Amino acid sequence: MARNGFFTGLDIGTSSVKVLVAEYVEGEMNVIGVSNVKSSGVKDGIIVNIDVAANAIKTAIAQAEEKAGIRIDKVNVGLPANLLQIEPTQGMIPVTTDSQEITDIDVQNVVKSALTKSMTPEREVISFIPEEFVVDGFQGIKDPRGMMGIRLEMRGMLYTGPRTILHNLRKTVERAGVQVENIVISPLALTRSVLNEGEKEFGAIVIDLGGGQTTVAVMRGQELQYTNIYQEGGDYITKDISKVLTTSQSIAENLKFNYGIAYPQDATEKEKFMVEVIGESAPVEVTERYLSEVISARLRQIFARVKQDLERTRALDLPGGIVLVGGVAVLPGITELAQEIFGINTKLYVPNQIGIRNPAFAQVISLVEYVGSLDEVEMIAQAAVNGEAHLRQKPIDIPFDVPKVRPAIQPVQKEVPVADSEPVEEHPYVPYAETDSAEPKVKITDRIRGLFGSMFE
């Protein structure tokens, strides 16, 4: 059950930085502020310039604070799946209390024993998800607190990542003037958020089509079982349009969102628009079908690579099919193209929160939903992970208090007003299909664009 209180999510992407502030009241999430600014200092989902990235984060946080009317001092930041490793682990401790009743300290100590698993110095534990506890041989226990026992065991999934990436992430967020409350594995939060209970249990695939990269995550049996990163995304589509039409990056980006269709069969030769071409004195006429073929070529390349890996893992046999999210997923015809290539049921996920009904916001929403829905046992486990650098040097039988989870935000006082390794060129951030110069279109594709046409309703 979701906790009451305020939670802030921070999604640092290659193309944009998003901040979302939400309040949970009796299990219902109410979005009270959101921002979306152009990203800088990030390449392929990884921070490459701390100062530049921190400035972008600071701008996004300031905008979210203004809209929400609160001051943000802690954030739950998403970590991409780059070099993520997932492996099962387990721990075991004796119950040492006189009453032999299992307490919070016992739960935290058994998590600590699982964290002592040897790993290379360059890796760090990001998260640990308890799956079941075993008390004196009795299995399948979700929360052992209050039970009596002599021996407490626990099994779960351990998520580790490169220490360098984690350090740079924390350093960047702190330099932006806020503290990291939790580091959340982005594909884990996303699959939990966008899949229904049946899809989580029987298995489904989530494909996040971002600006700088495409992330694939597979969940089955309520567990994140597979992730992969492909260093191609929406920015590469923009770059293709720019090169083929010999136009600027900013014009190419506008063409993609204002006229782009992912599935050429849905486009037409009759729809035409004028494009400013470098070296030409007058704009050149381009058809909707031609632009669609340029867009489709890159998407087909991305989907073909994803399909090849999913076939090796037999993930395409899962009954839940594919769910598409991310900024590129707003392109009309994207589901039809994906379904043709993958050959299985494919659908588009659109968040239902008022004002942000756009697949591009699925990731930042999932971060808030993830931390807001953590139960007490998961919070105890995460508290142990957050201190695991110190825990590795402590005996597991040393008790310590479980840190209280502090609110992520405080009210503002009234007086405070890879396949293609070539880098993507910088271009102005254009979040949605809006244009001042284009004539309104009456086709069904424009009605779809209208659904994603603005950040706030």
Side-chain angles (χ1 to χ4, degrees), residues 434-453:
E434 294 180 344
T435 179
D436 296 329
S437 59
E439 291 295 324
K441 302 166 74 176
V442 297
K443 297 169 54 184
I444 184 64
T445 54
D446 291 284
R447 299 196 191 102
I448 297 174
R449 291 192 187 95
L451 177 65
F452 307 124

Side-chain angles (χ1 to χ4, degrees), residues 79-88 117-120 122-127 157-162 185 224-227:
L79 180 75
N82 301 62
L83 302 179
L84 177 70
Q85 289 184 2
I86 310 171
E87 53 187 317
K117 182 181 180 70
S118 61
M119 68 178 69
T120 55
E122 67 271 12
R123 299 197 68 80
E124 181 178 333
V125 175
I126 306 167
S127 184
M157 300 299 291
L158 187 67
Y159 299 85
T160 66
I185 299 170
L224 179 65
Q225 295 193 342
Y226 170 84
T227 64

Side-chain angles (χ1 to χ4, degrees), residues 93-386:
I93 63 165
V95 180
T96 57
T97 55
D98 294 337
S99 64
Q100 292 187 334
E101 185 173 299
I102 298 170
T103 65
D104 287 1
I105 293 176
D106 294 312
V107 172
Q108 200 163 37
N109 281 340
V110 77
V111 172
K112 290 162 57 180
S113 71
L115 295 178
T116 58
K117 182 181 180 70
S118 61
M119 68 178 69
T120 55
E122 67 271 12
R123 299 197 68 80
E124 181 178 333
V125 175
I126 306 167
S127 184
F128 179 79
I129 309 298
E131 292 180 350
E132 71 165 347
F133 293 87
V134 180
V135 179
D136 294 345
F138 292 96
Q139 301 179 355
I141 299 171
K142 295 300 183 183
D143 186 353
R145 294 174 301 166
M147 298 181 180
M148 291 186 64
I150 299 174
R151 184 180 65 184
L152 176 63
E153 301 173 68
M154 181 196 60
R155 300 187 182 100
M157 300 299 291
L158 187 67
Y159 299 85
T160 66
R163 190 178 296 272
T164 300
I165 292 177
L166 291 164
H167 170 82
N168 293 344
L169 181 64
R170 294 189 185 99
K171 189 75 173 179
T172 303
V173 174
E174 290 170 1
R175 192 161 293 184
V178 293
Q179 297 296 313
V180 176
E181 185 172 26
N182 289 293
I183 292 179
V184 181
I185 299 170
S186 293
L188 176 61
L190 189 62
T191 49
R192 284 193 176 188
S193 176
V194 307
L195 300 180
N196 59 42
E197 287 304 312
E199 291 166 341
K200 294 175 190 175
E201 183 61 37
F202 292 99
I205 303 162
V206 177
I207 301 179
D208 183 4
L209 297 160
Q213 60 186 17
T214 298
T215 304
V216 177
V218 177
M219 176 168 275
R220 179 171 52 187
Q222 303 288 338
E223 297 174 2
L224 179 65
Q225 295 193 342
Y226 170 84
T227 64
N228 203 357
I229 296 284
Y230 303 86
Q231 303 301 345
E232 292 178 272
D235 289 345
Y236 287 83
I237 297 175
T238 301
K239 185 177 177 181
D240 291 343
I241 297 172
S242 176
K243 285 185 175 181
V244 171
L245 300 183
T246 321
T247 189
S248 68
Q249 289 275 330
S250 59
I251 291 176
E253 184 80 351
N254 276 286
L255 290 173
K256 179 176 69 177
F257 282 111
N258 293 329
Y259 299 98
I261 296 176
Y263 198 51
Q265 287 86 331
D266 291 343
T268 175
E269 296 280 356
K270 296 180 180 180
E271 287 291 336
K272 301 176 182 179
F273 43 87
M274 306 305 294
V275 178
E276 293 183 10
V277 175
I278 297 171
E280 297 289 342
S281 58
V284 174
E285 188 176 75
V286 176
T287 66
E288 184 183 71
R289 179 65 179 261
Y290 184 69
L291 178 64
S292 178
E293 288 172 349
V294 175
I295 294 172
S296 173
R298 175 64 69 169
L299 287 171
R300 286 179 180 277
Q301 177 177 313
I302 295 172
F303 287 156
R305 293 182 60 204
V306 172
K307 181 182 180 182
Q308 188 176 29
D309 291 332
L310 290 177
E311 285 178 333
R312 281 200 294 263
T313 62
R314 302 186 64 84
L316 293 178
D317 296 334
L318 298 175
I322 293 173
V323 180
L324 300 177
V325 298
V328 181
V330 304
L331 288 172
I334 191 77
T335 54
E336 290 83 354
L337 180 65
Q339 188 156 325
E340 176 186 293
I341 294 173
F342 291 106
I344 61 175
N345 182 53
T346 304
K347 66 181 180 180
L348 176 67
Y349 174 81
V350 180
N352 59 9
Q353 283 79 9
I354 294 176
I356 48 175
R357 291 172 178 158
N358 187 312
F361 285 90
Q363 184 65 78
V364 71
I365 293 171
S366 72
L367 299 176
V368 174
E369 289 184 342
Y370 181 86
V371 296
S373 61
L374 288 176
D375 60 33
E376 291 184 0
V377 171
E378 290 174 323
M379 290 169 62
I380 293 172
Q382 194 59 41
V385 169
N386 290 340

Side-chain angles (χ1 to χ4, degrees), residues 65-81:
E65 286 178 330
E66 181 180 357
K67 293 171 182 175
I70 51 86
R71 177 179 295 115
I72 300 171
D73 57 19
K74 291 189 176 182
V75 295
N76 299 280
V77 58
L79 180 75

